Amino acid sequence: MRLRRRHTLVCREVVELVSDYLEGALPDYDRALFEQHLVLCVGCTAYLDQMRRTVALVGRLREDSLDAPVRERLLEAFRAWKHRGGASPGG
């Protein structure tokens, strides 16, 4: 997602950009807008923190560490997500 030259972001845009931000893939201008929004938005700051923790925890999971029913539910959830075109859960 490339942002148009603006001075602010809305929360929905921050949510859409969080993966690129965590991966260091945002252009400098977009990263600055993202970080400016975080200074002003407690909710997005909390969301970013949750995503950082999720990535750290999921990164430690191994396929064989999941029970078969849990693994199957996760696979089904990802299949459904892919079938929907990878849209975010909220729309």
Side-chain angles (χ1 to χ4, degrees):
M1 174 181 178
R2 179 72 181 136
L3 301 175
R4 290 184 219 133
R5 294 288 185 216
R6 297 187 286 165
H7 299 295
T8 62
L9 294 180
V10 295
C11 296
R12 183 179 186 106
E13 291 168 317
V14 169
V15 168
E16 292 174 3
L17 293 171
V18 81
S19 293
D20 288 342
Y21 179 78
L22 290 173
E23 294 170 2
L26 286 180
D28 291 341
Y29 184 83
D30 297 346
R31 182 181 42 77
L33 286 178
F34 187 96
E35 291 172 347
Q36 178 184 18
H37 181 89
L38 293 176
V39 169
L40 303 172
C41 184
V42 175
C44 286
T45 301
Y47 178 74
L48 177 62
D49 184 52
Q50 290 171 351
M51 291 303 295
R52 280 187 173 131
R53 287 186 279 148
T54 299
V55 167
L57 290 171
V58 170
R60 290 187 264 178
L61 280 179
R62 296 174 28 133
E63 184 179 346
D64 60 356
S65 69
L66 299 172
D67 292 337
V70 172
R71 184 173 46 250
E72 189 55 37
R73 283 198 318 256
L74 283 172
L75 288 171
E76 285 300 319
F78 283 116
R79 286 182 196 118
W81 175 78
K82 186 176 180 181
H83 181 72
R84 289 191 311 267
S88 63

